[in-house]
Amino acid sequence: MPGLTAAVPALGLALPEIILAIGALALVLLGAIRGDRSVGLINGLALALLVVVGVLVMTRTGRAVTFNGSFVQDDFAKFMKIAAIIGSAVALVMSIDYWRDERVQRFEYPILIVLSTIGMMMMISAGDLIALYLGLELMSLALYVVAAFHRDNVRATEAGLKYFVLGALSSGMLLYGASLVYGFTGSVSFGGIAAALKDNGSTGVVFGLVFVMAGLCFKISAVPFHMWTPDVYEGAPTPVTAFFAAAPKMAAMALAVRVVITAFPGILSQWQQIIVFVAIASMALGAFAAIGQRNIKRLMAYSSIGHMGFALVGLAAGTTDGVQGVAIYMAIYLVMTLGTFAVILSMRRADGYVETIEDLAGLGRTAPGTAFVFAMLMFSLAGIPPLAGFFAKWYVFAAAVNAHLYTLAVIGVLTSVVSTYYYLRIVKIMYFDEPAVAFEPMAPTLKIVSGLSGAFILLFWLWPAPLVSAATAAAKSLF
């Protein structure tokens, strides 16, 4: 009995994940009994589940560890979990009208979003290599299915297959790297690995770290493991693309930060070289490859690759300031992405949804409110002051400069200037080109999402303290 009573408070730390898991199983049962008639109810219940769990996560304070060190609850986990839950919930809300218009309403979709979110939360709280892999696979398996969710659409099926094949390859690389790290350090826990590497890391550990980082770079779509991103973003249904661009990125970036900061602080100079290379390559590819794109979702894929490069600039610093910069960057990136995809999801005419940038022609005259919000989002993604996107870049570049990574910061600024071209091109098309056929009226949910994200990026400079102080507490909890 003493052993049993000791296990109860330990389970309490993972209560949000346990509630989500039980809720997902209950929703599966409901869907199996009532079929696709229950889509509306399951959407509502899944959303309520995410909100309840989000509130539960917010109430957590301090640092605690359970499951023999496999599960860590701290301020960093709290910050990134809230971001991931917001990403999942908003992506789910934005998908409802789309699936109804496309006549693809199936009860499995919200359940897959919930299951994927459980995986993300496990990833963010992972305290060892086994928990890391379990969380990653739980998230990924649900993502593979939602990518191909529109079964009658050839592009969606192709996107799902591509993502599955390349994702399986990246998981194999990550698992191989984890086995190397375990073989050379004799521990799977991040604390044990850090203790084993106190003197200095062997070549085998560095090799293992390279493979682990390769697997994580695939999940955040950083170069050179970005190849799936443009095809999957373009081929997957738009609400699925919005989900991919938001919540999973939060979890994967959080995991990358936790792994290198808590498990490999002893070999900072070695992993810093890897992160610097990946950051520069991602920023450069994101800046130049997006210039010739005509499809707005494909352009957002290259934009996403570039933004992950900018976020990694903060991680490359390997300092508290750097992690704080990553947390602020990812939170602001989440808001910008959700707002942008809310507008992309409103690109609908009588004959269906459209995706090319030219379809936005004259939006400034046909829908001035939508055009203004979208223009502000583009300016923010480009990093133009005083919008939130500028401050996101400011924090990561300042951390790099303080860590004497001057070349990395300069390259970051230069690629940011290049990427401004394709964001401003969209603004030019909206305001200066001859109007195309007007879009159908925007759905109320999309209006709310785009309006709130537009307000956030416009007014962030007036009151940045809550986000900055939360990110500072998150960063300090890792050191």
Side-chain angles (χ1 to χ4, degrees):
M1 284 306 283
L4 183 63
T5 50
V8 175
L11 281 175
L13 287 175
L15 190 61
E17 287 79 1
I18 292 167
I19 289 173
L20 266 191
I22 294 169
L25 293 174
L27 293 179
V28 169
L29 192 61
L30 178 63
I33 293 167
R34 294 194 57 188
D36 288 333
R37 290 171 301 148
S38 61
V39 170
L41 177 62
I42 290 180
N43 271 324
L45 290 173
L47 196 59
L49 255 181
L50 290 169
V51 170
V52 167
V53 166
V55 171
L56 250 180
V57 171
M58 276 185 183
T59 61
R60 297 295 158 113
T61 52
R63 179 187 162 85
V65 179
T66 186
F67 300 120
N68 291 326
S70 295
F71 190 93
V72 183
Q73 177 56 50
D74 55 16
D75 285 334
F76 180 75
K78 177 180 171 179
F79 185 95
M80 297 308 282
K81 279 181 186 178
I82 290 168
I85 291 166
I86 289 170
S88 296
V90 175
L92 180 57
V93 167
M94 292 198 301
S95 71
I96 294 168
D97 291 311
Y98 179 92
W99 293 126
R100 190 179 60 237
D101 295 338
E102 292 287 296
R103 302 180 197 278
V104 192
Q105 286 181 292
R106 296 202 186 94
F107 74 85
E108 293 94 338
Y109 183 76
I111 297 170
L112 287 163
I113 297 282
V114 170
L115 288 170
S116 183
T117 308
I118 300 168
M120 291 176 217
M121 292 171 73
M122 277 186 68
M123 281 166 67
I124 293 168
S125 280
D128 64 24
L129 297 170
I130 296 169
L132 173 158
Y133 187 70
L134 282 173
L136 193 76
E137 283 307 290
L138 180 55
M139 176 188 85
S140 300
L141 290 170
L143 295 184
Y144 301 149
V145 181
V146 291
F149 196 74
H150 199 335
R151 288 180 305 203
D152 303 327
N153 186 316
V154 178
R155 286 168 63 205
T157 311
E158 184 191 338
L161 189 61
K162 256 181 196 167
Y163 190 31
F164 171 64
V165 171
L166 292 170
L169 178 69
S170 79
S171 291
M173 292 169 76
L174 185 138
L175 206 51
Y176 178 61
S179 65
L180 278 176
V181 171
Y182 170 63
F184 282 97
T185 61
S187 176
V188 290
S189 80
F190 295 163
I193 293 165
L197 297 177
K198 259 199 175 132
D199 304 327
N200 207 355
S202 65
T203 311
V205 172
V206 177
F207 262 98
L209 179 59
V210 168
F211 278 104
V212 169
M213 288 310 296
L216 294 176
C217 284
F218 178 89
K219 296 301 174 194
I220 59 170
S221 59
V223 177
F225 303 98
H226 66 285
M227 65 292 280
W228 63 276
T229 316
D231 293 338
V232 173
Y233 271 45
E234 185 182 358
T238 308
V240 174
T241 307
F243 178 56
F244 280 180
K249 289 279 197 320
M250 302 297 121
M253 185 61 79
L255 185 56
V257 171
R258 192 182 286 283
V259 167
V260 296
I261 297 294
T262 61
F264 299 97
I267 53 168
L268 185 141
S269 57
Q270 280 95 324
W271 62 253
Q272 196 173 52
Q273 293 170 37
I274 301 169
I275 302 287
V276 167
F277 165 75
V278 170
I280 291 172
S282 299
M283 291 187 295
L285 184 105
F288 290 100
I291 290 172
Q293 301 305 321
R294 292 287 171 267
N295 183 292
I296 186 86
K297 282 158 70 179
R298 206 172 177 86
L299 182 137
M300 285 307 295
Y302 285 110
S303 164
S304 163
I305 293 166
H307 281 286
M308 290 306 103
F310 291 124
L312 287 172
V313 169
L315 180 55
T319 59
T320 313
D321 285 351
V323 175
Q324 178 206 28
V326 174
I328 292 170
Y329 197 100
M330 293 308 291
I332 291 173
Y333 168 78
L334 175 72
V335 176
M336 295 189 295
T337 301
L338 291 171
T340 302
F341 274 98
V343 176
I344 293 171
L345 275 162
S346 73
M347 291 170 63
R348 181 172 174 268
R349 300 200 174 104
D351 55 347
Y353 288 89
V354 290
E355 293 177 1
T356 65
I357 295 167
E358 281 67 32
D359 288 310
L360 290 163
L363 192 68
R365 275 175 270 179
T366 56
T370 306
F372 174 75
V373 170
F374 202 46
M376 290 303 106
L377 287 162
M378 292 299 106
F379 285 136
S380 185
L381 284 164
I384 292 170
L387 302 173
F390 166 76
F391 292 98
K393 288 180 180 172
W394 169 268
Y395 278 105
V396 290
F397 291 155
V401 168
N402 290 338
H404 308 297
L405 300 172
Y406 304 117
T407 309
L408 179 62
V410 169
I411 292 171
V413 172
L414 292 176
T415 52
S416 195
V417 172
V418 173
S419 67
T420 303
Y421 165 78
Y422 56 81
Y423 294 123
L424 295 187
R425 183 172 157 266
I426 292 173
V427 178
K428 173 256 173 194
I429 287 169
M430 288 196 298
Y431 282 97
F432 298 104
D433 285 17
E434 280 304 306
V437 180
F439 297 137
E440 298 277 297
M442 203 176 194
T445 48
L446 300 179
K447 269 186 184 169
I448 292 166
V449 173
S450 60
L452 288 175
S453 57
F456 176 88
I457 59 154
L458 270 170
L459 304 175
F460 176 77
W461 63 279
L462 288 174
W463 198 39
L467 180 63
V468 175
S469 57
T472 307
K476 283 179 178 170
S477 71
L478 286 184
F479 289 87

